[in-house]
Amino acid sequence: MAALQKLSQRGRLDRLYFLLVVLCEAGAGQMHYSVPEEMDKGSFVGDIAKDLGLEPLTLAERGVRIVSRGRTQLFALNPRSGSLVTAGRIDREALCAQSAQCLVNFNILLEDKFNIYSVEVEITDINDNAPRFGVDELELKISETTTPGFRIPLKSAHDADVGENTLQKYELNPNDHFSLVVRSGVDGNKYPELVLELALDREEKAVHHLVLVALDGGSPVRSGTSRIHVTVLDANDNAPIFTQPEYRVSVPESMPVGTRILTVTATDTDEGYNAQVAYFQEKNPGETSEIFELESTSGDITIIKSLDYEDAKVHEIDIEAQDGPGLLTRTKVIVTVLDVNDNAPEFDMTSSTSSIPEGSPPGTIIALFNVHDRDSGQNAFITCSLPENLPFKLERSVDNYHRLVTTRALDREQFSSYNVTVTAKDGGKPSLSTDAYITLQVADINDNPPTFPHMSYSAYIPENNPRGASIISVVAHDPDSDDNAHVTYSFTEDTLQDAPLSSYISINSDTGILYALRSFDYEQFQDLHLRLTAWDNGNPPLSSNVSLSIFVLDQNDNAPEILYPAVPTDGSTGVELAPRSAEPGYLVTKVVAVDRDSGQNAWLSYRLLKASEPGLFTVGLHTGEVRTARALLDRDALKQSLVVVVQDHGQPPLSATVTLTVVVADNIPDVLADLGSTRTPADPNDSDLTLYLVVAVAAVSCVFLAFVIVLLGLRLRRWHSSRLLQASGGGLVGVPASHFVGVDGVRAFLQTYSHEVSLTADSGESHVIFPQPNYADMLLSQESCEKKDFLSSPQSLLEDKGEETSQVNSLHGILMRHC
């Protein structure tokens, strides 16, 4: 039968499923729904998507979810239909006991907007509990002297349901001696009483067996039974009576265990055994019987378990007083628990972010949390605060929800993280507080370019450096982090002497170290300028520039180069003339030398290293001028050989030498006379040979003169072309520096040519030699040009004065160059 009733009840529940009432309140953003208890998991409760004005498929995208605290989640969201459904079976009696109205409150959170909506669901009762008696069998003892109309209170039944589904009536099985009367108590409950209709006769029947049925008003009706055994006794016709029909007491929740809170008292007007009263606590469903203890003889009520206002605010204790024979009376003790500020505020972090990008606008939401206090009244009034000097503030929302938002844009380079302490303080005395800690990381954005410590850099590197030598290290700093702070280096590509700059130097893109790719030559260039760029790895990347000047330091790697007199390529020696009448200090010639180095490495000094006639000539230390040291004497040799050394001041010093040949004579005829005086006696046959020789020399001279004229024309044409190139900025390219000599700022291009004729008395051994043109540099001093007293041009003289052929050859060379 119970199974049939259960099936019938379930059918009615299924019909109720389609008759649910969805009520959405417009005020305060609260939605109200109603659902019967004991519905299957996933049963429809309400259309949340419709009530929120959203499409069902957008619930997941909007991050809609249920947030609640302090209990098991009873409801869930169906993402496909957008409806609110049950998360499991709901037992109204376990949730709300016998409260007239059972409401479940929670909140709906839209995470994308951080909006909170309050939802209230009423759990309606169904008739799923039958009335139950505290005892299955009740023993009553009634004196046979009891007059009809005597009422005996019976054990009442309890139904966990409410409303129409709770206990509605009692029924007693038909019999001749007893009837049933139901009395309504001050608390609204129904209490059955057994009424004696006929006088009892113990001798006729000592025990009466009755069945008391308790019925509720559900559909189908549920019932509970209690068997009553009435034993007929004699003489006890008065039941105990309590001093108060109902007892009330208020107890703070902090009352310690073992404290007596109340004493109930009942009296019986009978005497002796019939007046002995004992007290009993009625065992009702719930925890009340586990919190209080009733002393059966004294009626003292003692606390045996700590009270908690947050668990139960009111406790009801049903107490019975029974005399010796078994007559009883009933009373109720209502214990009101007073709240004590014994609970600190509690945080419930609904949603939070651990990191936000720097530069986020003010008002960015960091966290959404709920603060609640299990106490009540002023003890549950909560205020939240933040430490000072933080770029955050709290915004209060509905139902004690708070938002933590920024008050200004954050800068990671100032503070990379924040440890925010939120303090919640209640209004109790003394007040209690709780701290919540929120750690926020400020994520980096690429808002800082790399910066160099200096506006410009200078570096020095000696010439002839090894390839791959490091020049300088430049470092740029970026206050950002990770990839935004990873700096790479490059330099602006340019050209140097028609070659790309990258062929001279390179830069390590990660370290900023510059390396030389080749050995630098100070004589080619002394400095180079470039622009370095530092890039970070952000998106988009940022950069900064700095200028760098690299200076090449000179080293003494070039020996002095003698421009005048130049060494002839044909092996002859240049000749300088000095008149015999020259006074001491007379300028004979000047050694001109240059050094391609610079500074101290290019400072030159001249000295006379060797002389055929010591003490006859001196050399200016810094000018290179060769002057006579004394007057020339007749005994002085016709030819003087001087070796002049030119040395720079580098470390170590480098030097070059030149050999000068000075011919002592007042004029050219004197030279010829001096040379003739040294001739050997002529052979008688030399007169004819001399005639042939003169003719041959004249012919050769004419041919050679024509050759010189053509060659000079070609050279002048080339020189003119080089001057045009120099005027256009090209300079004289390809012409050795030894072909140029500067006097008073004027450059001259000097060339000499020589040829040799060797004639002997033996025609078989006579020969004429025309060597390749010989180029020598000639420097004429301004003084010698004005006085016209000697010719300072390179001349070829044979050192062998014993042969006439050598004298003639030397004379011919002098005449040709002079012409």
Side-chain angles (χ1 to χ4, degrees):
M1 179 177 180
L4 293 175
Q5 291 178 349
K6 190 70 175 182
L7 291 174
S8 178
Q9 178 186 2
R10 179 55 59 194
R12 284 191 292 273
L13 289 178
D14 293 336
R15 289 192 296 271
L16 284 173
Y17 173 83
F18 298 98
L19 298 176
L20 293 174
V21 178
V22 180
L23 177 62
C24 296
E25 296 185 3
Q30 188 179 59
M31 293 174 282
H32 184 87
Y33 303 95
S34 178
V35 63
E37 66 172 333
E38 298 296 335
M39 295 294 291
D40 291 334
K41 180 180 179 182
S43 299
F44 176 83
V45 178
D47 193 346
I48 289 294
K50 178 180 178 182
D51 296 335
L52 292 178
L54 302 174
E55 290 296 329
L57 296 180
T58 63
L59 288 182
E61 298 176 358
R62 299 289 298 275
V64 178
R65 62 185 176 94
I66 296 174
V67 290
S68 63
R69 64 175 187 270
R71 62 166 61 92
T72 304
Q73 188 63 258
L74 301 177
F75 302 97
L77 290 174
N78 189 324
R80 291 182 297 177
S81 62
S83 59
L84 181 68
V85 298
T86 58
R89 288 184 177 273
I90 302 174
D91 188 354
R92 183 188 184 280
E93 287 71 33
L95 190 64
C96 300
Q98 287 188 301
S99 299
Q101 191 177 29
C102 184
L103 300 176
V104 176
N105 295 281
F106 55 91
N107 298 290
I108 298 294
L109 169 65
L110 271 68
E111 287 190 335
D112 60 338
K113 297 295 185 181
F114 288 90
N115 289 334
I116 295 291
Y117 297 89
S118 297
V119 178
E120 183 181 78
V121 179
E122 181 180 3
I123 311 301
T124 59
D125 184 58
I126 64 173
N127 191 25
D128 59 338
N129 292 281
R132 295 179 59 187
F133 288 90
V135 292
D136 294 332
E137 292 184 3
L138 179 63
E139 295 286 341
L140 296 178
K141 297 179 180 180
I142 302 177
S143 175
E144 62 180 354
T145 61
T146 302
T147 60
F150 179 75
R151 296 189 175 190
I152 304 172
L154 301 176
K155 296 286 186 180
S156 59
H158 295 274
D159 194 334
D161 297 323
V162 296
E164 293 295 326
N165 296 325
T166 192
L167 178 66
Q168 298 295 325
K169 62 181 179 180
Y170 292 91
E171 292 180 356
L172 186 68
N173 63 316
N175 64 86
D176 296 333
H177 293 85
F178 299 94
S179 65
L180 185 65
V181 175
V182 179
R183 178 179 60 85
S184 298
V186 294
D187 56 357
N189 293 332
K190 295 176 174 57
Y191 299 97
E193 293 182 350
L194 190 64
V195 180
L196 182 62
E197 296 290 341
L198 295 174
L200 299 175
D201 187 357
R202 181 180 178 280
E203 289 71 20
E204 181 181 352
K205 191 174 183 178
V207 177
H208 295 268
H209 297 279
L210 306 175
V211 177
L212 180 63
V213 180
L215 302 172
D216 61 21
S219 178
V221 177
R222 291 179 176 272
S223 63
T225 60
S226 177
R227 292 182 297 275
I228 303 173
H229 301 279
V230 180
T231 302
V232 180
L233 301 176
D234 292 330
N236 187 25
D237 55 354
N238 291 291
I241 300 175
F242 283 99
T243 57
Q244 296 180 21
E246 186 176 84
Y247 292 87
R248 292 182 176 271
V249 64
S250 297
V251 180
E253 61 176 327
S254 59
M255 186 71 73
V257 174
T259 303
R260 181 182 62 84
I261 62 172
L262 181 66
T263 300
V264 295
T265 305
T267 58
D268 195 317
T269 57
D270 295 326
E271 293 181 354
Y273 177 75
N274 294 330
Q276 293 180 3
V277 180
Y279 302 95
F280 303 96
Q281 180 179 349
E282 188 173 358
K283 301 298 182 181
N284 295 328
E287 297 182 356
T288 301
S289 59
E290 301 176 0
I291 298 176
F292 304 98
E293 182 181 52
L294 175 63
E295 213 285 322
S296 61
T297 58
S298 64
D300 293 339
I301 300 176
T302 305
I303 300 175
I304 61 174
K305 186 179 180 180
S306 297
L307 300 175
D308 192 350
Y309 173 84
E310 289 70 40
D311 288 343
K313 301 175 179 59
V314 177
H315 294 278
E316 295 183 359
I317 308 173
D318 292 325
I319 299 177
E320 297 174 347
Q322 184 175 349
D323 59 17
L327 295 180
L328 58 85
T329 187
R330 183 183 292 103
T331 190
K332 185 183 290 292
V333 177
I334 299 176
V335 181
T336 302
V337 181
L338 302 178
D339 183 43
V340 178
N341 190 28
D342 59 344
N343 291 283
E346 298 177 3
F347 282 90
D348 184 10
M349 193 62 62
T350 304
S351 181
S352 66
T353 179
S354 60
S355 176
I356 65 169
E358 63 175 329
S360 297
T364 301
I365 299 176
I366 305 302
L368 175 67
F369 58 88
N370 179 271
V371 184
H372 57 277
D373 197 311
R374 298 177 63 195
D375 297 322
S376 63
Q378 187 65 25
N379 295 333
F381 182 77
I382 301 173
T383 57
C384 295
S385 62
L386 292 173
E388 297 180 355
N389 303 323
L390 287 179
F392 306 101
K393 68 178 180 178
L394 292 173
E395 294 180 349
R396 191 181 185 94
S397 183
V398 298
D399 198 15
N400 277 336
Y401 277 89
H402 294 76
R403 295 188 185 95
L404 178 66
V405 301
T406 60
T407 58
R408 57 178 172 83
L410 305 182
D411 188 355
R412 190 203 67 84
E413 285 68 48
Q414 291 183 353
F415 296 98
S416 60
S417 64
Y418 292 89
N419 293 318
V420 183
T421 302
V422 182
T423 302
K425 187 176 182 182
D426 63 22
K429 292 185 179 180
S431 62
L432 301 177
S433 64
T434 302
D435 292 336
Y437 304 97
I438 300 174
T439 300
L440 177 66
Q441 301 292 333
V442 182
D444 183 51
I445 63 173
N446 193 27
D447 57 345
N448 292 282
T451 56
F452 289 94
H454 306 287
M455 297 296 294
S456 61
Y457 290 87
S458 297
Y460 300 87
I461 182 171
E463 65 172 332
N464 303 318
N465 58 282
R467 296 181 60 184
S470 62
I471 302 175
I472 188 175
S473 175
V474 292
V475 178
H477 299 280
D478 195 316
D480 294 324
S481 65
D482 299 330
D483 287 343
N484 295 332
H486 181 73
V487 180
T488 57
Y489 304 89
S490 63
F491 58 83
T492 304
E493 187 63 70
D494 201 351
T495 58
L496 179 64
Q497 294 184 350
D498 297 330
L501 195 60
S502 57
S503 65
Y504 288 89
I505 59 173
S506 69
I507 186 170
N508 189 312
S509 61
D510 294 324
T511 63
I513 300 177
L514 274 81
Y515 298 93
L517 296 181
R518 62 171 65 180
S519 181
F520 294 156
D521 189 353
Y522 178 83
E523 286 70 42
Q524 290 184 355
F525 59 89
Q526 289 76 43
D527 54 44
L528 59 90
H529 304 278
L530 61 150
R531 196 162 191 83
L532 299 180
T533 303
W535 297 87
D536 60 27
N537 204 24
N539 187 15
L542 301 179
S543 64
S544 60
N545 298 321
V546 70
S547 60
L548 171 64
S549 298
I550 299 177
F551 298 95
V552 181
L553 301 179
D554 182 49
Q555 288 185 328
N556 192 27
D557 58 343
N558 290 281
E561 181 180 353
I562 298 176
L563 300 181
Y564 181 83
V567 178
T569 60
D570 58 354
S572 62
T573 303
V575 176
E576 304 290 343
L577 294 179
R580 289 188 179 275
S581 60
E583 299 292 334
Y586 176 81
L587 178 61
V588 178
T589 185
K590 183 176 182 178
V591 178
V592 179
V594 295
D595 196 311
R596 296 176 63 190
D597 295 323
S598 65
Q600 182 174 329
N601 296 328
W603 296 353
L604 303 180
S605 60
Y606 303 83
R607 62 187 178 89
L608 186 60
L609 181 63
K610 181 181 179 181
S612 58
E613 187 70 36
L616 180 57
F617 297 97
T618 62
V619 177
L621 179 64
H622 301 295
T623 62
E625 294 176 346
V626 179
R627 297 179 182 271
T628 56
R630 57 176 175 80
L632 297 175
L633 303 177
D634 293 338
R635 58 181 175 82
D636 293 328
L638 172 64
K639 289 200 317 180
Q640 299 288 334
S641 178
L642 307 177
V643 178
V644 179
V645 62
V646 184
Q647 182 174 293
D648 58 25
H649 285 71
Q651 293 296 331
L654 300 178
S655 62
T657 59
V658 62
T659 301
L660 301 177
T661 300
V662 179
V663 176
V664 180
D666 290 330
N667 49 46
I668 292 176
D670 292 341
V671 174
L672 297 177
D674 291 338
L675 293 174
S677 63
T678 61
R679 290 183 58 182
T680 59
D683 190 273
N685 298 324
D686 286 345
S687 58
D688 294 335
L689 181 60
T690 300
L691 177 60
Y692 298 144
L693 176 61
V694 172
V695 174
V697 168
V700 170
S701 297
C702 292
V703 173
F704 184 73
L705 182 60
F707 171 74
V708 169
I709 293 173
V710 173
L711 186 59
L712 281 177
L714 295 176
R715 287 293 182 179
L716 287 175
R717 181 180 180 183
R718 182 180 297 177
W719 176 79
H720 181 66
S721 299
S722 64
R723 290 297 297 243
L724 292 178
L725 291 175
Q726 181 179 5
S728 62
L732 292 173
V733 181
V735 180
S738 62
H739 289 183
F740 294 87
V741 62
V743 178
D744 296 333
V746 178
R747 286 188 173 184
F749 185 65
L750 305 177
Q751 296 178 335
T752 61
Y753 302 90
S754 65
H755 63 273
E756 296 182 3
V757 179
S758 178
L759 301 177
T760 62
D762 185 1
S763 61
E765 296 180 357
S766 301
H767 61 277
V768 180
I769 301 175
F770 296 94
Q772 294 294 328
N774 174 41
Y775 304 99
D777 297 334
M778 179 179 64
L779 179 66
L780 297 178
S781 66
Q782 183 177 2
E783 179 181 357
S784 62
C785 290
E786 291 177 353
K787 293 182 179 180
K788 304 291 185 178
D789 56 351
F790 75 98
L791 180 62
S792 58
S793 61
Q795 302 176 19
S796 298
L797 296 176
L798 298 176
E799 294 184 357
D800 188 1
K801 299 180 182 179
E803 295 184 4
E804 181 180 358
T805 57
S806 297
Q807 295 173 356
V808 174
N809 182 29
S810 299
L811 177 59
H812 182 268
I814 294 174
L815 292 175
M816 290 301 296
R817 283 192 294 273
H818 181 69
C819 293

